[in-house]
């Protein structure tokens, strides 16, 4: 190679261009690093930082504004004047102008002294509960950084949990506030349907949409609610009647010692609280929402009520898809935006809905509201888990998401389809995952529910602390004695459909003799009572004692199917078929489960 001629001007041009390129690349990398650090600082919660100052504080002797000194963020489907509302979609943002007015709900908060500091990331078009957005990324769950934050109000929940704001606005259709509240370990409130003005908020499904909020502190949750709720005030009642949905706690693997037991102990200690009643909610809905019958899949587990709850969530999604398409079909066809797979599937599914079925969807919603009103009246509170499973890890396989889908929406569809108000409440942790229980009150009793949460929460915290340090409730065993006689009594009670008595006899037999048959028989009685977790545990114990117990595999498969763990149920049924290939019941069950999974 020839030597460079440094006197040649072209050489210096090349050197200068190269040096400039190095500087430009360094600046680009610096900005990228700064952007990454910025995301780390705000946990990726914000899509846009803004500042909306509160209205002036009135001069003395006027009282201080109720939200004075508090900061808040808003989900990016809520309008702010002079800003484009993004709706979780770059294509939407690029094809729309800035809002000409600020949403009524935001103005109300500013008038009462709070400051808005930004807009938060959401699932694309609000269609999802994972919190993952293919265009803008996934906000980091401050409690569990390697897990999803939940959505679609993901950024709002993360901003609150990370203490970036005191509270945040979101919207809830199918669980979009309740799920991220549960996964991030904060309070979430879904108000009664249409209790708060939706002017200036992009709709997803008008029949399900509800503007709600998230907070770390129950007093902040309460104060925000009393500002936003535009419904007639209901006088606080000294008596509160709690109803515990026993069948719904079967879906949740958190020990009852940390959930139902905590609620029961708190109620015992507070005045004006009646002893809780217990209810199989799925069966109640099946009896009181007759229009659901056409949506219930015929199966061997129909009588336990879980099929009813699964049907209710199916109706919820059909209604959401129909209304979403009605709102945005023209824009979708005109713009043809690049969509995430979840939104694409959602839109495609809506096209299959026959017009004659639409009226039935609205009929189910009406019947559901009446049923819940009759159950709870003006002083009742339903207690249930907010979600059935802990948050999935980021980028979990799709099959795993499908497994938890039915369990989640069996719980979430109740308030969405009835229009009731629901408060998601943090109840400590189990195995390092946040626990969240929910209280549901009838439509229009929002202030009563908020007052109840505020009244109870310090006692809940105390009881949660006690139970976290307490030893698990002990299991007792005894020596072998008259166990066979007790087993026969249990069998006789079972045949006579005296399920509770059968459980008692089998339990006494187990105390005397740790026998696989006794556990399997007790599981059969538990199945009849709808106690699926207990049945599953008994079958697991029976299998550990006798690996060839076909009945235990079959019964555990039934319990797991009832709990909506289809893949695990299928594994049990296949085990039974290996042991007993001619088992016709197992063959039928295997075909049904394969259909549910596919």
């Amino acid at each position: 190679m020839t030597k460079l001629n440094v006197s040649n001007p072209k050489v210096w041009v090349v050197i200068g261009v190269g040096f400039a390129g190095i500087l430009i690349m360094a600046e680009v990398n610096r900005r990228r690093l700064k952007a990454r650090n910025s995301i780390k600082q705000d946990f990726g919660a914000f899509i846009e930082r803004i500042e909306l100052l509160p209205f002036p504080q009135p001069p003395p002797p006027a009282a201080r504004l109720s939200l004075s000194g508090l900061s808040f963020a808003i989900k990016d489907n809520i309008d702010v004047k002079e800003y484009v509302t993004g709706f979780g979609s770059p294509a939407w943002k690029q094809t729309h102008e800035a809002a000409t007015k600020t949403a009524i709900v935001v103005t109300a908060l500013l008038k009462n002294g709070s400051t808005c500091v930004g807009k938060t990331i959401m699932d694309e078009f609000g269609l999802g509960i994972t919190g993952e957005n293919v265009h803008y990324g996934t906000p980091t769950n401050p409690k569990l950084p390697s897990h999803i934050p939940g959505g679609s109000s993901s950024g709002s929940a993360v901003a609150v949990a990370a203490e970036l704001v005191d509270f945040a606005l979101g919207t809830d259709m199918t669980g979009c506030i309740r799920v991220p509240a549960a996964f991030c370990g904060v309070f979430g409130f879904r108000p009664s349907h249409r209790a708060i003005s939706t002017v200036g908020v992009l709709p997803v499904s008008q029949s399900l949409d509800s503007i709600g909020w998230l907070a770390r502190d129950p007093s902040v949750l309460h104060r925000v609610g009393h500002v936003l709720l535009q419904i007639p005030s209901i006088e606080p009642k000294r008596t509160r009647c709690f109803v515990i949905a026993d069948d719904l706690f079967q879906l949740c693997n958190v020990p009852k010692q940390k959930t139902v037991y905590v609620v029961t102990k708190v109620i015992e200690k507070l005045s004006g609280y009646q002893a809780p009643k217990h209810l199989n909610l799925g069966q109640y809905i099946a009896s009181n929402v007759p229009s659901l019958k056409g949506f219930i899949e015929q199966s061997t587990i129909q009588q336990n009520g879980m099929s009813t709850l699964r049907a209710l969530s199916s109706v919820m999604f059909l209604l959401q898809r129909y209304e979403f398409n009605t709102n945005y079909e023209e824009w979708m066809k005109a713009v043809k935006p690049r969509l995430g797979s979840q939104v694409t599937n959602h839109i495609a599914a809506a096209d299959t809905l026959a017009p004659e079925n639409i009226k039935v969807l609205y009929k189910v919603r009406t019947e559901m509201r009446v049923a819940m009103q009759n159950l709870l009246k003006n002083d009742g509170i339903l207690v249930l888990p907010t979600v059935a499973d802990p948050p999935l890890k980021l980028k979990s396989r799709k099959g795993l998401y499908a497994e938890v889908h039915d369990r989640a929406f069996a719980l979430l569809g109740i308030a969405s389809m009835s229009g009731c108000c629901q408060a998601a409440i943090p109840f400590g942790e189990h195995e390092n995952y946040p626990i969240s229980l929910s209280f549901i009150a009838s439509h229009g009793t929002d202030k009563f529910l908020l007052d109840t949460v505020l009244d109870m929460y310090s006692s809940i915290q105390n009881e949660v602390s006690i139970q976290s340090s307490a030893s698990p409730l002990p299991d007792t065993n005894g020596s072998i004695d008259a166990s066979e006689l007790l087993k026969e009594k249990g069998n006789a009670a079972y045949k006579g459909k005296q399920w509770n008595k059968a459980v008692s006899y089998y339990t006494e037999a187990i105390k005397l003799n740790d026998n696989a048959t006794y556990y399997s028989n007790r599981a059969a009685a538990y199945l009849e009572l709808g106690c699926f977790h207990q049945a599953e545990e008994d079958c697991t114990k029976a299998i550990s004692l006798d690996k060839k117990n076909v009945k235990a595999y079959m019964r555990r498969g039934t319990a797991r199917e009832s709990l909506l763990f289809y893949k695990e149920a299928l594994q049990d049924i296949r085990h039974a078929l290996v042991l007993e290939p001619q088992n016709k019941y197992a063959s039928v069950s295997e075909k049904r489960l394969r259909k549910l999974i596919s």
Side-chain angles (χ1 to χ4, degrees):
M1 293 180 68
T2 58
K3 291 184 179 181
L4 287 173
N5 185 357
V6 295
S7 63
N8 188 336
K10 291 182 179 180
V11 171
W12 288 107
V13 170
V14 171
I15 292 172
V17 169
F19 186 66
I22 292 169
L23 290 176
I24 290 170
M25 287 301 297
E27 177 63 15
V28 168
N29 288 332
R30 187 189 69 79
R31 290 184 180 183
R32 283 177 180 170
L33 182 62
K34 184 179 178 182
R36 280 201 296 269
N37 289 337
S38 174
I39 289 173
K40 287 179 182 177
Q41 288 172 10
D42 67 14
F43 291 80
F46 291 95
I47 197 164
E48 191 169 15
R49 283 283 196 173
I50 61 177
E51 186 178 49
L52 302 178
L53 296 175
F55 284 39
Q57 174 77 30
R64 183 177 169 83
L65 295 173
S66 61
L67 302 180
S68 184
L70 298 182
S71 62
F72 71 99
I74 61 173
K75 188 175 180 178
D76 195 28
N77 61 345
I78 301 173
D79 285 347
V80 172
K81 186 178 179 180
E82 298 179 359
Y83 290 88
V84 179
T85 304
F87 214 3
S89 164
W92 181 271
K93 193 166 189 174
Q94 290 162 9
T95 56
H96 288 79
E97 301 295 326
T100 57
K101 291 183 180 179
T102 296
I104 287 176
V105 68
V106 176
T107 302
L109 296 171
L110 299 174
K111 282 183 177 178
N112 281 271
S114 55
T115 302
C116 180
V117 299
K119 286 195 160 195
T120 57
I121 284 181
M122 57 181 284
D123 285 54
E124 190 176 12
F125 298 111
L127 300 174
I129 60 164
T130 65
E132 297 169 301
N133 187 305
V134 295
H135 307 293
Y136 297 117
T138 304
T140 301
N141 185 334
K143 296 282 186 183
L144 298 161
S146 62
H147 293 68
I148 59 173
S152 63
S153 305
S154 53
S156 291
V158 167
V160 170
E163 301 186 18
L164 305 174
V165 292
D166 297 297
F167 67 95
L169 290 182
T171 53
D172 189 305
M173 289 70 66
T174 59
C176 308
I177 281 178
R178 292 164 284 167
V179 172
F183 287 175
C184 294
V186 298
F187 291 89
F189 194 83
R190 174 197 161 92
S192 297
H193 185 241
R194 294 186 176 173
I196 295 174
S197 171
T198 58
V199 174
V201 181
L202 290 171
V204 174
S205 169
Q206 290 88 329
S207 295
L208 304 172
D209 288 350
S210 190
I211 300 171
W213 58 99
L214 305 106
R216 292 183 306 280
D217 188 305
S219 66
V220 173
L221 190 83
H222 187 268
R223 285 154 64 189
V224 173
H226 278 255
V227 165
L228 294 181
L229 290 164
Q230 301 296 315
I231 56 177
S233 179
I234 295 173
E235 288 296 319
K237 293 177 172 58
R238 293 186 63 239
T239 302
R240 289 174 166 88
C241 307
F242 282 81
V243 180
I244 295 175
D246 287 332
D247 54 327
L248 301 188
F249 281 96
Q250 294 291 322
L251 292 174
C252 180
N253 283 320
V254 178
K256 287 190 177 181
Q257 186 176 356
K258 293 185 175 183
T259 56
V260 173
Y261 185 79
V262 169
V263 174
T264 304
K265 295 297 288 184
V266 169
I267 290 170
E268 287 175 2
K269 294 175 182 178
L270 296 174
S271 61
Y273 288 68
Q274 290 185 358
K277 300 174 184 177
H278 293 262
L279 176 75
N280 185 308
L281 186 68
Q283 291 179 356
Y284 174 82
I285 292 172
S287 300
N288 290 276
V289 186
S291 296
L292 264 180
K293 288 180 181 177
F295 297 91
I296 296 174
E297 296 176 11
Q298 298 300 315
S299 76
T300 57
I301 62 165
Q302 180 174 334
Q303 71 277 6
N304 66 45
M306 281 301 156
S307 291
T308 300
L309 293 171
R310 193 162 61 239
L312 184 68
S313 66
S314 297
V315 173
M316 174 178 71
F317 280 113
L318 290 170
L319 188 57
Q320 183 196 42
R321 288 164 181 164
Y322 167 70
E323 293 186 339
F324 180 83
N325 267 25
T326 301
N327 292 331
Y328 302 112
E329 187 175 21
E330 287 186 15
W331 179 82
M332 291 283 181
K333 288 180 178 178
V335 176
K336 295 180 174 59
R338 184 175 69 87
L339 302 170
S341 59
Q342 189 169 347
V343 179
T344 302
N345 295 337
H346 186 99
I347 293 168
D351 291 336
T352 64
L353 185 60
E356 60 269 19
N357 292 332
I358 294 168
K359 286 185 180 179
V360 183
L361 305 181
Y362 290 101
K363 190 174 182 182
V364 170
R365 188 189 62 156
T366 301
E367 290 175 356
M368 186 65 187
R369 180 173 295 189
V370 172
M372 293 300 288
Q373 178 63 47
N374 290 338
L375 174 66
L376 299 174
K377 300 182 172 57
N378 285 331
D379 59 357
I381 294 172
L382 182 71
V383 183
L384 70 162
T386 306
V387 290
D389 298 276
L392 295 171
K393 286 195 171 183
L394 292 165
K395 298 181 180 178
S396 293
R397 60 184 174 87
K398 290 182 180 178
L400 188 60
Y401 173 71
E403 289 176 9
V404 304
H405 180 279
D406 282 359
R407 291 191 294 279
F409 290 110
L411 301 170
L412 298 166
I414 295 162
S416 294
M417 285 300 292
S418 65
C420 289
C421 50
Q422 178 172 344
I425 306 165
F427 263 66
E429 293 183 350
H430 175 62
E431 297 179 348
N432 298 320
Y433 292 109
I435 301 171
S436 178
L437 260 59
S438 275
F439 292 170
I440 292 179
S442 59
H443 184 273
T445 61
D446 301 62
K447 290 184 179 180
F448 166 67
L449 180 57
L450 284 166
D451 291 347
T452 302
V453 173
L454 185 62
D455 186 51
M456 291 183 70
Y457 194 64
S458 61
S459 298
I460 289 172
Q461 282 183 303
N462 291 337
E463 195 60 42
V464 164
S465 177
I466 292 168
Q467 294 310 316
S468 295
S469 57
S471 301
L473 298 176
D475 293 323
T476 57
N477 283 308
S479 59
I480 298 174
D481 197 348
S483 55
E484 277 297 304
L485 178 60
L486 287 164
K487 184 199 78 170
E488 291 304 322
K489 287 184 176 181
N491 291 349
Y494 184 90
K495 290 176 183 176
K497 298 185 178 181
Q498 296 174 301
W499 320 123
N500 282 308
K501 187 175 283 189
V503 167
S504 297
Y505 281 129
Y506 294 136
T507 301
E508 291 304 313
I510 288 167
K511 289 179 181 179
L512 299 174
N513 183 3
D514 213 29
N515 183 291
T517 300
Y518 302 168
Y519 282 106
S520 180
N521 287 6
R522 188 170 69 174
Y526 275 137
L527 286 174
E528 297 292 347
L529 290 166
C531 299
F532 307 119
H533 270 308
Q534 290 92 325
E536 182 188 26
E537 289 170 4
D538 273 358
C539 290
T540 300
K541 181 66 175 177
I543 291 165
S544 72
L545 295 169
D546 178 7
K547 294 287 192 293
K548 296 183 179 181
N549 193 316
V550 175
K551 288 182 178 178
Y553 281 114
M554 292 294 299
R555 288 164 183 166
R556 189 168 72 175
T558 301
R560 286 174 167 175
E561 183 181 353
S562 301
L563 293 167
L564 313 181
F565 288 93
Y566 304 133
K567 288 189 177 180
E568 291 88 341
L570 181 59
Q571 289 172 359
D572 282 333
I573 298 303
R574 285 175 172 168
H575 271 299
L577 280 170
V578 168
L579 294 168
E580 200 173 280
Q582 303 305 316
N583 190 313
K584 293 182 180 179
Y585 181 81
S587 297
V588 172
S589 297
E590 195 220 10
K591 289 178 183 177
R592 183 182 62 254
L593 286 163
R594 279 196 282 109
K595 183 180 177 182
L596 284 169
I597 291 169
S598 62

